[in-house]
């Protein structure tokens, strides 16, 4: 299904027949106008050296922090200073898969709408609610005031990430790939958590760490939502 904010589609001549076949097979429908263009025009317009044959003009989605806090139980990903567009895009994709309810980003986070980030989200950008907080500290204060417990992935963490209870409203603080969280941001955390490291590693990639935390919250919530029989079955499998 195309994003609801799709405004126009451009199809390469060499891909036009296959595009029609794929649309019919997938039951694809879109109110946006379609235009077939030459391969050279599509190549000139695309950001990649080998475009897939379709380009779309899509309106940027817009949310507020109030939107992200409107419904619960919340599971938020709070990103401070993530600079790598691939990491940022992967976090959006993983957040959708793990059932997170929203992402809040500090002002110094990478541009969410640069082409590499958009591609890395694999479409999750248009489904995962997000807010770009101009006042980062103010946003964290508002999230805490709304009753969301915050957990910081931190090298000084004492509690293993899978030993805390994330079934209520929770948010995970993930810091810059090199520097981690600032002291000011980490101070908002209710607890510092750590992910066990074997070998000689000191830490994981930021996107990987975020994924582990969100999927642990997902696991706990699935166990809570199932019937007693389902919960017992899951426990027997562990």
């Amino acid at each position: 299904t195309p994003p609801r904010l799709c405004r126009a589609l451009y199809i390469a001549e060499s891909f036009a027949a296959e595009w029609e076949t794929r649309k019919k097979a997938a039951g694809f429908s879109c109110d946006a106008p379609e235009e077939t263009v030459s391969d050279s025009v599509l190549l000139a317009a695309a950001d990649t050296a080998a475009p897939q044959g379709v380009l779309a003009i899509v309106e940027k989605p817009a949310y507020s922090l109030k939107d992200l806090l409107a419904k619960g139980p919340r599971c938020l990903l709070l990103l401070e200073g993530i600079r790598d567009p691939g990491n940022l895009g992967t976090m959006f994709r993983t957040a959708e898969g793990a059932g997170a309810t929203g992402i809040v980003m500090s002002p110094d986070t990478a541009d969410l709408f640069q082409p590499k980030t958009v591609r890395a989200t694999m479409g999750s950008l248009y489904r995962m609610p997000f807010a770009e907080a101009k006042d980062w500290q103010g946003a964290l204060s508002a999230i805490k005031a709304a009753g969301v417990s915050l957990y910081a992935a931190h090298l000084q963490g004492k509690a293993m990430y899978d030993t805390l209870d994330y079934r209520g409203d929770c948010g995970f603080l993930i810091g810059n790939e090199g520097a981690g969280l600032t002291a000011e941001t980490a101070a908002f955390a209710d607890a510092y958590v750590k992910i066990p490291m074997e070998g000689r590693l000191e830490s994981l990639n930021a996107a990987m760490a975020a994924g582990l935390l969100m999927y642990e919250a997902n696991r706990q919530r699935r166990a809570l939502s199932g019937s007693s029989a389902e919960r017992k079955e899951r426990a027997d499998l562990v």
Side-chain angles (χ1 to χ4, degrees), residues 17-227:
E18 184 176 348
W19 171 245
E20 293 300 324
T21 300
R22 290 193 180 190
K23 281 200 303 183
K24 291 178 181 178
F28 177 94
S29 63
C30 181
D31 293 334
E34 292 186 16
E35 182 176 347
T36 301
V37 299
S38 68
D39 287 25
S40 60
V41 167
L42 194 84
L43 181 60
D47 179 69
T48 58
Q52 296 181 347
V54 180
L55 290 179
I57 295 177
V58 182
E59 183 179 333
K60 292 181 179 180
Y63 306 89
S64 67
L65 182 58
K66 184 178 179 180
D67 294 330
L68 271 60
L69 295 174
K71 294 187 295 183
R74 300 106 158 184
C75 180
L76 302 174
L77 187 59
L78 311 172
L79 306 178
E80 182 184 38
I82 299 299
R83 302 306 302 159
D84 184 88
N87 274 342
L88 182 58
T90 298
M91 288 179 188
F92 266 73
R93 183 180 180 185
T94 307
E96 182 182 10
T101 58
I103 297 175
V104 184
M105 296 167 286
S106 67
D108 55 345
T109 299
D111 180 6
L112 181 56
F113 293 99
Q114 66 169 289
K116 185 175 181 181
T117 311
V118 172
R119 289 196 300 272
T121 69
M122 294 296 289
S124 294
L125 170 61
Y126 301 104
R127 296 182 294 268
M128 173 56 56
F130 65 88
E132 298 171 289
K134 294 181 180 179
D135 178 4
W136 177 238
Q137 305 296 321
L140 294 179
S141 295
I143 292 168
K144 290 274 289 185
V148 179
S149 299
L150 301 186
Y151 302 93
H154 204 285
L155 291 177
Q156 296 178 14
K158 301 299 182 183
M160 287 294 183
Y161 79 102
D162 56 354
T163 62
L164 298 177
D165 189 345
Y166 308 128
R167 293 173 295 178
D169 293 328
C170 67
F172 298 112
L173 291 159
I174 304 293
N176 174 268
E177 292 90 344
L181 293 167
T182 63
E184 294 79 8
T185 293
F188 281 91
D190 294 280
Y192 290 176
V193 301
K194 64 179 180 179
I195 296 169
M197 293 289 136
E198 302 293 343
R200 299 174 65 181
L201 292 179
E202 186 176 82
S203 64
L204 290 179
N205 167 275
M208 176 63 76
L212 285 173
L213 292 171
M214 289 188 290
Y215 266 99
E216 174 59 22
N218 176 281
R219 183 193 67 79
Q220 292 183 16
R221 293 176 184 208
R222 283 187 291 112
L224 178 66
S225 64
S227 67

